[in-house]
Amino acid sequence: MKDLQQRLRELPQISVLLDEAEVRSLARGRRQDWVTRVVQGVVAELRDRLQTEEGPVRPRSELQAQALGMIRERCRRLLAPAWTRVINGTGVVVHTNLGRSNLSPEAAAVAAEVAACNSDLEYDLERGARGHRGRRVEAKAALLAGAEDALVVNNNAGAVWLSVRGLAAGGPVLLSRGEVVAIGGSFRMNEIIAETGSPLVEVGTTNRTGLADYERALTPGATVLKVHRSNFTVEGFTEDVDLADLARLCRDKGARLVYDAGSGALFPFAELGLPPGETQLHEDVAAGPDLVTCSGDKLLGACQAGIILGARELIAGLRNHPMRRALRVDKITLAVLDSVLTAYLAAEDLPAVPTLALLAQDEDVLQKRAEQLLGRLEPFAPEAWEGRVAPCRSSVGGGSFSTASVASRQVLWQGPKGQLEACHLNLRTGDPALVGRMNQEGLAIDVRTILPADEPLVVAAFQRAWERL
Ligand SMILES: *Cc1c(COP(=O)(O)O)cnc(C)c1O
């Protein structure tokens, strides 16, 4: 106890720290008095740490130097951007933690342009009066998916919530036990349904749900939700219903069907050698559910958004829903989505969408890219290290094609394990950061997910990481 009092007596005072030349220069000329709050936060944190600190009592001079170091570092971080550019060497094409899909230079330029100017976002230029937000973008989405109409919202989570809330309006929602799934950190289908104010009626079993199970549970006016298994597979003794069969049953019984398609493919991925597993949006719509929902930044390759597709009158109901405004997107999102959808409309072959381009690279292309990259890296590698090109598997990610993978090539480094790990840490903490994979074999960089234009940055990142070893 006495020890603790002694310790705390050495804690530097806020007023003394604020008077330090370095802190005064950090605060000088700032319109907002945030430097004082940083100093207060640092002193509070040091006090907390001292409560549990053991060993000899540290003199005030030492604690003051530590506090100044913390203040300096915090102020530096606050004045720098709150994000770091990352080069994705993980082999996961649509990596949710790394920001999912990247935009083409054309789509990125559209984002920059619309961000800096006014536009007819919600204005009818001919009538000179208020217009409909997003309607022309939504018309493009509807046409590509073969639906009567579409509504764009904040993300697919919002699209599912609004669709179920709008159609069920508090009435029962049927969902197969095998589809009461969790997606990402905090999106659980049962909780989302609870938040729409509807009771969840679980249908069938975890591994088997048949049409007869739905038939038994269906009451007129009920809503059925079917969820695409994006991020897992069930194997063995399983049964699932076909979307078209379920849509037919719902129509016969006077019930509504919402289909959460997850990724939202507008391209036949089988053509790129990907296994079956993702239907295209027009196929989902043609199967006949009342509404289909999907994400904008997974396989579609645009930005964060959710798209709801369906009949005109149902979409109109959702558009007028009181919660719609809480889920609406901004002008930048609409313009980017528009640009990407236009690329799909214009494409004669592969649309100009980076996510598709990354997936379309065949093994010959990847082998060449990996060999070239290795050749450019080798002159800088540490003595004890050995690099080679090796086959590997990339995954599509973003909750699509669940567990499926595609053949790829990696630059694989072998060397002392501690050095490999230290190098990966240096790569991750560089700017731009480079995130690869550490496995049994060594430190690997999958070339599929590295944009070809970023290869010089990869070489520079390794040079810096090796220098810091
Ligand atoms: C990814 C996914 C979601 C959530 O989509 P967000 O756009 O991330 O909100 C919902 N349902 C399924 C089936 C998904 O795959």
Side-chain angles (χ1 to χ4, degrees):
M1 194 59 216
K2 185 151 158 291
D3 197 42
L4 180 60
Q5 275 171 359
Q6 267 179 356
R7 260 183 219 289
L8 290 178
R9 215 173 298 129
E10 300 298 317
L11 188 68
Q13 285 182 328
I14 291 169
S15 57
V16 171
L17 286 170
L18 283 172
D19 227 27
E20 279 289 316
E22 185 178 359
V23 178
R24 287 224 309 273
S25 99
L26 278 168
R28 190 169 303 130
R30 305 261 184 247
R31 184 70 184 73
Q32 299 285 334
D33 191 17
W34 56 269
V35 175
T36 302
R37 292 191 275 277
V38 168
V39 172
Q40 289 164 339
V42 164
V43 171
E45 195 177 315
L46 269 181
R47 181 183 295 114
D48 283 349
R49 283 197 216 169
L50 290 180
Q51 311 269 357
T52 53
E53 194 166 283
E54 282 170 14
V57 172
R58 292 195 286 150
R60 181 167 305 173
S61 58
E62 188 184 323
L63 290 170
Q64 175 138 342
Q66 187 184 358
L68 282 175
M70 287 165 74
I71 292 163
R72 188 182 309 129
E73 175 58 16
R74 270 172 215 198
C75 289
R76 187 192 65 76
R77 287 182 74 105
L78 282 161
L79 290 168
W83 61 283
T84 303
R85 178 167 175 184
V86 173
I87 298 164
N88 178 6
T90 64
V92 181
V93 177
V94 181
H95 199 306
T96 294
N97 301 150
L98 301 183
R100 290 194 182 162
S101 290
N102 301 317
L103 300 178
S104 66
E106 295 75 36
V110 166
E113 186 184 358
V114 78
C117 65
N118 287 119
S119 63
D120 61 346
L121 174 71
E122 220 175 87
Y123 188 78
D124 186 324
L125 290 167
E126 269 172 40
R127 289 193 305 118
R130 190 177 159 181
H132 295 289
R133 193 186 180 90
R135 282 300 250 284
R136 279 191 294 166
V137 183
E138 289 165 344
K140 293 185 191 188
L143 192 72
L144 282 163
E148 258 181 42
D149 204 353
L151 179 65
V152 175
V153 293
N154 179 57
N155 58 8
N156 190 22
V160 171
W161 184 88
L162 185 62
S163 299
V164 172
R165 174 66 226 176
L167 292 203
V173 174
L174 278 63
L175 177 63
S176 163
R177 279 219 164 80
E179 295 171 7
V180 186
V181 297
I183 289 149
S186 56
F187 183 76
R188 294 170 165 217
M189 278 300 165
N190 50 333
E191 292 175 357
I192 293 296
I193 292 170
E195 289 300 326
T196 66
S198 280
L200 167 63
V201 180
E202 290 189 23
V203 179
T205 61
T206 305
N207 54 331
R208 290 177 72 91
T209 301
L211 214 52
D213 295 310
Y214 283 103
E215 205 160 358
R216 237 174 286 132
L218 264 180
T219 46
T223 302
V224 178
L225 174 62
K226 184 159 176 57
V227 180
H228 176 57
R229 290 199 180 113
S230 294
N231 51 4
F232 70 108
T233 52
V234 280
E235 278 172 49
F237 186 54
T238 63
E239 184 186 358
D240 194 7
V241 300
D242 183 63
L243 183 60
D245 292 340
L246 185 56
R248 212 169 295 121
L249 177 69
C250 289
R251 262 196 310 278
D252 290 348
K253 295 274 182 179
R256 297 286 199 193
L257 175 60
V258 176
Y259 179 55
D260 173 6
S263 215
L266 286 174
F267 188 82
F269 284 93
E271 272 183 22
L272 303 182
L274 278 139
E278 294 295 323
T279 47
Q280 293 187 68
L281 279 174
H282 71 80
E283 297 168 301
D284 301 332
V285 169
D290 294 281
L291 295 174
V292 174
T293 76
C294 70
S295 285
D297 55 355
K298 292 182 177 174
L299 284 179
L300 204 111
C303 51
Q304 185 189 303
I307 304 175
I308 310 175
L309 302 152
R312 195 162 292 118
E313 136 238 7
L314 286 183
I315 294 289
L318 301 184
R319 200 172 264 134
N320 294 326
H321 191 279
M323 278 302 283
R324 192 256 163 144
R325 190 184 175 102
L327 295 170
R328 81 178 188 187
V329 296
D330 73 326
K331 61 177 180 176
I332 305 175
T333 297
L334 280 173
V336 165
L337 191 59
D338 177 59
S339 165
V340 175
L341 292 175
T342 310
Y344 278 102
L345 287 168
E348 289 177 2
D349 189 11
L350 193 70
V353 175
T355 301
L356 301 186
L358 293 180
L359 284 168
Q361 302 169 95
D362 64 25
E363 287 186 76
D364 290 344
V365 166
L366 293 165
Q367 176 74 26
K368 278 205 195 76
R369 285 189 57 201
E371 282 169 7
Q372 268 172 14
L373 188 59
L374 178 64
R376 287 153 85 185
L377 286 169
E378 262 173 337
F380 308 101
E383 284 281 298
W385 285 44
E386 205 179 319
R388 64 186 163 92
V389 171
C392 66
R393 313 282 306 175
S394 338
S395 58
V396 182
S400 31
F401 292 97
S402 0
T403 49
S405 58
V406 275
S408 185
R409 291 293 182 277
Q410 61 189 349
V411 173
L412 180 65
W413 291 102
Q414 288 168 316
K417 187 144 189 286
Q419 273 192 17
L420 292 172
E421 269 163 11
C423 175
H424 197 201
L425 174 65
N426 290 350
L427 288 169
R428 291 197 311 271
T429 52
D431 190 6
L434 171 56
V435 183
R437 281 192 298 241
M438 273 296 291
N439 55 29
Q440 245 78 320
E441 293 181 284
L443 171 59
I445 304 295
D446 189 325
V447 290
R448 177 183 295 280
T449 47
I450 292 170
L451 302 171
D454 284 352
E455 279 170 18
L457 296 176
V458 173
V459 177
F462 264 99
Q463 269 181 281
R464 278 195 312 270
W466 281 328
E467 274 163 21
R468 282 166 62 202
L469 275 184

